[in-house]
Amino acid sequence: QVQLVESGGGLVQAGGSLRLSCAASGIIFSINAMGWYRQAPGKQRELVASISSGGRTNYGDSVKGRFTISRDNAKNTVYLQMNSLKPEDTAIYKCNADISSRWYSGVNNYWGQGTQVTVSS
């Protein structure tokens, strides 16, 4: 099947930067939209950023101007460059993707296991 594996989380001081990666593996014919979501303790999950197969991007209001999403279609990988990090960015970040495993099959939505990002003040 398909797996999404995130990496790059960790602990960083406020004002610092981190880069998250999410690689899709398995039986993959095509990948449509890819994105990052986050959930902090006691809060609802929110969209951080998404990117279409053609490269069109969308960002949550709280990260605009600080985070950049990109993808490498040859590597089936999406990235999230996070700059000027704030303590309120602390959350579990999860990768999400719409993937078709075969040319004749439909699109299924997949989630990664999540990676913790902690920003200290």
Side-chain angles (χ1 to χ4, degrees), residues 8-12 18 20 82 115-119:
L11 173 64
V12 64
L18 283 174
L20 305 183
M82 304 185 294
T115 185
Q116 177 70 45
V117 171
T118 303
V119 184

Side-chain angles (χ1 to χ4, degrees), residues 7 19-23 34-36 49 51 59 67-73 75-82 95:
S7 61
R19 188 190 194 212
L20 305 183
S21 300
C22 171
M34 304 183 82
W36 291 93
I51 184 167
Y59 294 93
F67 291 10
T68 302
I69 190 170
S70 61
R71 64 191 283 173
D72 185 333
N73 291 329
K75 296 181 178 179
N76 292 335
T77 300
V78 62
Y79 305 96
L80 184 68
Q81 178 66 43
M82 304 185 294
C95 176

